[in-house]
Amino acid sequence: MGLEKTIIKVKGMHCASCVATIEKALKNRNGIKSANINFSSETAHVEYNSTQISQKDIESVIRSLGYKLTDDNSNVGNTLSLKIIGMDNSHCISTVNSALSNEKGILKKDLFVTQKAKIIYDPNLITKEGIKQIIINAGYRPLDEDISEDLEKIERDRETKILKIKVLASMILAIPLLYFAMAPHIFLPIPLLIEENMALIQIILTTPILLIGYQFYTLGFRSVIKSHTANMDTLVAVGTGAAYVYSVFISVNIWLENSAFSDHQLYFEIAGILVASILLGKYFESVAKGKTSEAIKKLLGLRPKTAIVIRDGKEKEVSIEEVVVGDIVLVKPGQKIPVDGIIVKGYSSVDESMITGESIPIEKSKGDKVIGATINKTGSFTFKAKKIGKDTALAQIIKLVEEAQGSKAPIQTLADKISGYFVPVVVVVAILSFLTWYFLGFGFSFALTIFVAVLIIACPCALGLATPTAIMVGTGIGASNGILFKNAEALQVTRQLDVLVFDKTGTLTKGKPQVTDIVELKNTKSKDILQYAAMAEKNSEHPLGDAIIKKAENNGIKIPTPNSFQLITGKGIEARYRGKTVHLGNRAIMNEKKIKISAFENKIQLLEQEGKTVMLIAINREMVGLIAVADTIKEHSKETIDLLRNMGKEVVMITGDNKITGDAIGKQIGISKVLAEVLPNVKSQEIKKLQDSGLKVGMVGDGINDAPALTQADVGIAIGSGTDIAIESGDIVLIKDDLRDVVKAIKLSNYSMKKIKQNLFWAFFYNSVGIPVAAGILYPLTGWLLSPIIAGLAMAFSSVSVVSNSLYMKRYQL
């Protein structure tokens, strides 16, 4: 018994404050090491000491706070995948989440800032259409996710076009409205007929503007009435609605009393011009936000539409959906390769830059892998389809990028908490400001101006967009350079790494070792030594074994099949053949089998000091020879290590080789700290030791035998290659086999976090300064009062400024 981890599904959380409540309660209990509540997925991730507290106790703590727990219902209900138009920031996610949480039958929901939602529901309690109606009532528009990308683009373009028309129409009315409202104050002429009927003319100009921006009122009030939640539309609706209704009321009094217009203060221009300004801001925001996801759009645009397959000896052009695994596919010069596969005939050069970021075309011939969506440059070839549909490298990349863009970075937690309280707090501040100024004797008109200005200047959207937009652009930059961040947390944490631990074989070296030396002992010929070694390795899949077998085959040596074979992990092999027992491996297996090697230690060390791995071979418990194998160091390994050291990062190499060999290779590359003789299952423990010393550790490996270490590290960086993108372990996948991308990943993390912090600073600064100014804090000292129109313009463009700052990231060159 000891530290254990559990994931508990929690029902009934309505906002970010629920997250803080549960986390605080759990962290105050003895035995709980960490507690992280994910509001979006409604899960509690708890690490606890099972000797001090049980999972039932943890569940009881959560229940005592008034929340319900559910079993895993993912296989019980139906799944509904939606694209929720408008749900593109944390505040909007909170609104939709609250609306869905109030309904019976919703078993689980995952909501993302990419406007995607996955909802698991009980069809006996709620229908698909019912769920969509709840989302509509919350002020958003749900679309089935299985609509084609073309239809989605049409939908997105239609939204932007409608906004553009609304902006033009509202501005045509707002400009004369502004003139008539401001002319008396700046001594501009107004015709007498208009001046005498000013109230009526302003109503005629303002009312159509409010009708054009009707969505602010329908969505704003529907959210409160149906879902009991307030959003940005609610603030706009209350602020402009109050100004309009008050002005209509005064206008009616003017007509009834037959008094002069100049004796009264009207606020039609506030309502009309505000709505027109906010529509303009929404239009610019729509255009800007559309550009943040260009990485996904470009990747989707790479997908080929058709393929030429050879069936019954004839060429046949089919849609990409009709290609099946095993099909023989023909690719002509200039065509896109439709799916992933292996060339069976022909040769060519292939441009893989759209997938790997590598600009130089790669030469391909029989037996080489090809990647779907890459471009065939010169020759023709046929290949056998191996991966199609969602299994192709491109589909996996798109999936990883979408998941990363929809995930939440730790830095977003504070913004989410504030967004959860934002709208109610702003409404309270607006009401208190109104009452304060009114009862101080400044009059209803003055207090109303303050009330509207406070409501309008507040903008939770800027706060909600600050992190997700930068994450979307940052992960997109990474994807276009062959660096896939699997989640936003990895993008944040990578810059904080203190230590980078590199696996040796396949990471720092090419992983394709070659036999360099065969040392004869006890009068055994080198040919016999190689034959026995190859026989022992025949059933092994170890890279060193492959090198020995290839050497034997190249020398024309026949390799017999052993009568028995046993792999001793991390040590070597025991094989039997025609009454002889062969042991092949490192010192550990010889010591375990009590085979004497001390007489040959000097020869072994001489080879190891050259950076070679020495395989010891014994027959019938007597040493007969040594086989030295050397792996080639990758082209950019030393350059990468130098760059990391210049960045102030500590670099460590971890290997199963003995210390002498490990130190020799480390010296060649420039790594002084080498963890040698580490078995594959112990690598994660070495990572843990470094973490326990207070360091943040990144592990770089090939994602196969390094999986536990990649998972244990604060950031696991897996070296991918071509079609092998779906590496489960690790947080970052480097598609190209270029270690310099480790440095690029750190630089991109640094730059992305810089932009996120800039966005959050301006979002916090804007609201923390804007709201007090709108509330009239400067009026007693300066006599200056913030116009609601200026407040509206500032609010409208605050989101645009945040998104634009994120878009500026696209200029960044890795």
Side-chain angles (χ1 to χ4, degrees), residues 126-378:
I126 193 168
T127 64
K128 183 194 298 186
E129 295 307 316
I131 295 171
K132 289 182 178 179
Q133 189 57 50
I134 293 167
I135 295 169
I136 292 170
N137 291 341
Y140 302 88
R141 192 149 64 90
L143 297 173
D144 288 327
E145 195 185 34
D146 59 3
I147 62 174
S148 70
E149 293 300 327
D150 292 337
L151 181 58
E152 188 175 324
K153 183 179 183 301
I154 291 170
E155 187 69 31
R156 191 166 49 242
D157 292 343
R158 188 179 76 87
E159 287 286 323
T160 304
K161 187 176 181 180
I162 289 173
L163 271 172
K164 185 177 181 180
I165 294 170
K166 286 185 174 186
V167 167
L168 290 173
S170 61
M171 284 299 175
I172 289 171
L173 297 167
I175 290 170
L177 179 64
L178 179 62
Y179 180 86
F180 295 144
M182 300 303 295
H185 303 289
I186 55 178
F187 308 107
L188 289 175
I190 297 179
L192 182 61
L193 181 63
I194 293 177
E195 188 173 355
E196 290 175 348
N197 296 280
M198 185 63 75
L200 178 61
I201 290 171
Q202 288 197 22
I203 288 177
I204 291 171
L205 290 171
T206 302
T207 304
I209 296 175
L210 301 194
L211 292 174
I212 290 169
Y214 74 92
Q215 72 267 25
F216 296 123
Y217 305 95
T218 56
L219 300 180
F221 291 126
R222 181 191 289 166
S223 178
V224 174
I225 296 168
K226 295 283 188 179
S227 307
H228 309 295
T229 57
N231 56 26
M232 189 62 223
D233 294 324
T234 309
L235 295 180
V236 175
V238 172
T240 59
Y244 180 79
V245 171
Y246 173 75
S247 299
V248 169
F249 176 76
I250 294 298
S251 298
V252 171
N253 282 337
I254 290 174
W255 297 324
L256 291 176
E257 298 172 3
N258 198 25
S259 59
F261 162 75
S262 57
D263 296 333
H264 300 273
Q265 178 68 52
L266 299 181
Y267 293 96
F268 285 115
E269 80 279 6
I270 289 178
I273 296 169
L274 273 178
V275 170
S277 300
I278 294 168
L279 284 171
L280 179 63
K282 287 284 184 185
Y283 169 71
F284 286 133
E285 185 181 325
S286 176
V287 172
K289 283 193 296 189
K291 293 179 180 178
T292 61
S293 57
E294 278 185 358
I296 290 290
K297 294 175 198 171
K298 286 179 181 177
L299 288 170
L300 291 170
L302 294 175
R303 296 181 302 188
K305 306 292 184 186
T306 60
I308 300 173
V309 297
I310 299 175
R311 293 176 181 168
D312 301 323
K314 296 180 180 179
E315 294 180 15
K316 183 180 179 182
E317 186 170 347
V318 299
S319 69
I320 195 73
E321 291 80 12
E322 295 179 64
V323 179
V324 297
V325 173
D327 265 340
I328 300 300
V329 184
L330 172 65
V331 185
K332 297 177 181 179
Q335 289 184 337
K336 283 185 178 180
I337 297 170
V339 295
D340 297 358
I342 297 177
I343 294 178
V344 294
K345 185 179 179 182
Y347 60 89
S348 182
S349 61
V350 177
D351 179 1
E352 297 184 343
S353 60
M354 61 285 298
I355 301 293
T356 65
E358 181 58 62
S359 58
I360 301 172
I362 309 298
E363 297 297 320
K364 300 283 185 178
S365 59
K366 183 178 179 180
D368 288 336
K369 293 179 180 179
V370 289
I371 308 171
T374 56
I375 299 173
N376 180 32
K377 300 293 286 184
T378 52

Side-chain angles (χ1 to χ4, degrees), residues 677-722:
E677 299 177 30
V678 180
L679 299 178
N681 60 330
V682 182
K683 286 182 180 179
S684 60
Q685 295 176 25
E686 293 294 339
I687 300 293
K688 184 73 165 59
K689 286 179 185 176
L690 290 168
Q691 290 172 324
D692 289 342
S693 65
L695 300 171
K696 279 199 176 294
V697 182
M699 170 70 192
V700 187
D702 59 19
I704 303 170
N705 63 342
D706 298 317
L710 288 168
T711 304
Q712 175 63 47
D714 294 284
V715 177
I717 304 174
I719 305 291
S721 59

Side-chain angles (χ1 to χ4, degrees), residues 569-629:
T569 304
K571 298 177 182 179
I573 293 168
E574 179 178 291
R576 296 182 187 276
Y577 178 69
R578 292 186 177 180
K580 293 183 178 179
T581 301
V582 179
H583 289 100
L584 177 70
N586 54 28
R587 291 177 178 83
I589 192 172
M590 299 304 168
N591 292 334
E592 183 179 297
K593 301 300 178 181
K594 295 183 171 52
I595 299 170
K596 295 179 180 179
I597 61 171
S598 55
F600 316 108
E601 189 62 41
N602 287 339
K603 291 183 179 180
I604 296 171
Q605 289 187 17
L606 284 173
L607 292 169
E608 289 175 340
Q609 286 167 4
E610 296 172 7
K612 299 171 182 176
T613 300
V614 182
M615 306 281 283
L616 287 64
I617 182 168
I619 299 176
N620 292 334
R621 299 184 181 276
E622 186 176 2
M623 286 285 298
V624 296
L626 307 173
I627 299 178
V629 180

Side-chain angles (χ1 to χ4, degrees), residues 485 490-497 649 715 732 745-746 749:
F485 288 88
L491 187 63
Q492 175 175 335
V493 176
T494 301
R495 62 184 286 274
Q496 302 170 348
L497 296 177
K649 309 293 183 183
V715 177
I732 301 173
I746 295 172
S749 172

Side-chain angles (χ1 to χ4, degrees), residues 357 481 483 485 494 643-644 647 734 736 738-750 812 814:
N481 285 274
I483 303 168
F485 288 88
T494 301
L643 289 169
L644 288 171
M647 295 172 74
L734 306 181
K736 292 182 289 181
D738 189 337
L739 283 179
R740 290 177 298 181
D741 285 347
V742 174
V743 179
K744 290 181 180 180
I746 295 172
K747 287 182 177 179
L748 181 56
S749 172
N750 264 317
Y812 183 66
L814 280 176

